[in-house]
Structures are given as structure tokens and as C-alpha cells.
Amino acid sequence: MAGVSEGASGVPDPRLRPYVLGYEGYLLRGFDPGTHVGMPASVLTVIITIDEPIELAVSSHPDQPGGTWEMLASGLTTRPCVIAHNGYQHGVQLALTPLGCRALFGMPASALGSWIVDLPEVFGPSARELRERLAAAPDWPRRFEILDEVLLRAVRPAHWDAELAHAWALLSGPDPAVRVAAVADEIGWSRRHLGNRCGAELGVTPKDLARIARFERSHAMMRLPEPPSLAEVATLSGYYDQAHMAREWRELAGLPPSVWREREEFPFVQDPQPAGIAG
């Protein structure tokens, strides 16, 4: 049986959009069992399964063993995880901004780091309510309405100072030529202070945030129905050349882009588009 991918994308209530970029509902069935690489991203990932739990054979944190989760939250990371699947997955994924981590979980993204945690640990009883109600809902629009309802009830307004917010927008944005030194100069901070603030709030360095954004751009291009050549992807994404992109992919995805493109058959949603590409 050929694999079938069914799902839907949802845009959160306007009051949530500084904190949640989008909802992705997915139902994947009929695929051959295998593994899938969960890529680093400039957003935090929240997954709420509807049927079977999600199994991570390899975690994104080097000190965390693999495991299974009915619901999970994960922070920013420069390491991939490996997702094992039996050809079937059903659930909803949320893309949270780092500011959303403060607004919904009451903590900076750095507190999560690259660890994967049970969602109830950071979201409390509302996590169980979400899973039960999403599973009982008849369709994706109703599930997205439930997400809006529960998240709006839980969200607490959160703010960054203007300099950090602008640095985040530049480093995670669509400009392939962004440089950390130029960002520090633009906001009036030293590189050291920028690094300290990013580490304390985001859990990654400014350099790594720019690397992740560049990687996301290349990954999104390679997922297009008719992707450009690898050399074109490298240029458009901001890499020096194709060899530079291949080195970065080995570190961030665990394999070069050419190998990933040959092997990846499971159209999973753990690979969200960066905000600059998704708009």
C-alpha cells in the first residue's frame, strides 16, 4: 500500500501569533516502517499525539536516551533527533516562538535547551485536557479551535526588550547574509553582551541561531516539489558553497543533503518551515 499523508495547517488566533506561529495537523498511514530525521529549527516544537505515542530512537540532547511520548515539548537545538515510526502517525504539532515559551510555559527557551520533556511538566493539567479533546474532535478545524481556546486561557503576556527582539528577528529571519557582528552593531550591543543575552534567553548562541536559520532555508528549498540544484540551494541559503552546506548538514542533520534527499520518504511535520519562509 502506498503511503497516504492527510492533514491541515491552522493559523492561531491573532492574540496568540506572537507566541505560536502555526498549527500542523497530520495523519500519515500506510508507509513502510522506518526512521525519520527530526531537524533543528528556530522554533520550539510541541507535539500532541492523537493515537499512538511518538517514539524517538535518538534524542536531540546527547545525555538523554530515546523514549516514547504522548505529548512533548522541545527547545532550540543544533542536533537532530531520530524518530522511529511504524508507518503510521497521527497528531498535531505547534511551532512556538521562544517568546511563546515564556508566555505559555512561564520560562525562557533556555530552560528547555535541547531536552525533550513531557508536555504536562511545563504546561500542567491543560496538556491532558488538550490531548483528550483533540482526540475526540471530529475534524481539523475543530481541533484548531480547541487549541485556540485552551492556549488563550493559559497564555500570559510576555515581552522582550526591543534590542533582543530585533536581534532575534534578524538572526532567525530570511536574510541569508546576516552576520552576528552586524546585528550587534545594529542594536548597539557588544558581541559578548549579545551572546550572553541569547544564551540566557534562547539557549543557543547568536552564531548557532543564524546557522539554524540558514539550515532551515536550505531544508525548505529541498522539500519543494521541484527543488533547485544543491549548488543553487547553497547559494540561495547563504552558504559559501555546496561543500559548506554539506558540512553544516552533517552537523545539524546528521547526514549530507544529497543523502537526506535520497532517503527521506516519510513526509513528517517535525520539519517546520522557518518564519521567514512561511511568511
Side-chain angles (χ1 to χ4, degrees), residues 40 42 169-179 209-224 228 232-239 245 249 272-278:
S42 60
L170 293 172
L171 291 167
S172 64
D175 182 4
V178 66
R179 296 291 181 267
L209 181 55
R211 289 177 68 209
I212 293 168
R214 187 167 55 228
F215 169 78
E216 282 184 314
R217 285 190 289 272
S218 67
H219 185 214
M221 290 182 201
M222 292 184 59
R223 294 179 68 203
L224 295 172
E232 290 174 311
V233 170
T235 299
L236 294 170
S237 301
Y239 292 103
M245 182 173 74
W249 267 70
Q273 290 185 338
I277 294 174

Side-chain angles (χ1 to χ4, degrees), residues 13-14 20 25 36 41 47 56 87 101 133 140 142 155 157 162 180 202 219-220 223 236 244 256 274:
D13 182 282
V20 185
H36 164 81
I47 295 174
L56 271 63
C101 191
R133 293 181 63 187
W140 295 118
R142 178 56 186 146
V155 73
V180 174
L202 307 175
H219 185 214
R223 294 179 68 203
L236 294 170
H244 179 210

Side-chain angles (χ1 to χ4, degrees), residues 199-268:
E201 183 66 29
L202 307 175
V204 295
T205 66
K207 180 180 178 180
D208 279 339
L209 181 55
R211 289 177 68 209
I212 293 168
R214 187 167 55 228
F215 169 78
E216 282 184 314
R217 285 190 289 272
S218 67
H219 185 214
M221 290 182 201
M222 292 184 59
R223 294 179 68 203
L224 295 172
E226 297 183 7
S229 69
L230 290 177
E232 290 174 311
V233 170
T235 299
L236 294 170
S237 301
Y239 292 103
Y240 297 122
D241 52 29
Q242 187 175 333
H244 179 210
M245 182 173 74
R247 289 194 300 272
E248 287 287 275
W249 267 70
R250 288 188 183 95
E251 290 192 24
L252 295 170
L255 72 176
S258 57
V259 175
W260 175 83
R261 189 157 63 179
E262 291 174 1
R263 293 181 181 177
E264 184 66 18
E265 296 179 351
F266 197 57
F268 208 69

Side-chain angles (χ1 to χ4, degrees), residues 10-84:
V11 179
D13 182 282
R15 291 167 289 180
L16 291 169
R17 290 177 198 170
Y19 314 124
V20 185
L21 295 183
Y23 306 141
E24 293 290 337
Y26 59 91
L27 173 57
L28 306 165
R29 51 191 173 85
F31 291 86
D32 291 334
T35 59
H36 164 81
V37 180
M39 306 293 199
S42 60
V43 293
L44 287 78
T45 297
V46 170
I47 295 174
I48 304 165
T49 64
I50 291 177
D51 293 313
E52 300 177 5
I54 186 171
E55 178 183 354
L56 271 63
V58 179
S59 170
S60 53
H61 195 290
D63 296 329
Q64 182 175 25
T68 59
W69 284 266
E70 292 182 340
M71 300 171 282
L72 64 81
S74 63
L76 304 182
T77 181
T78 57
R79 294 171 57 92
C81 64
V82 178
I83 302 156

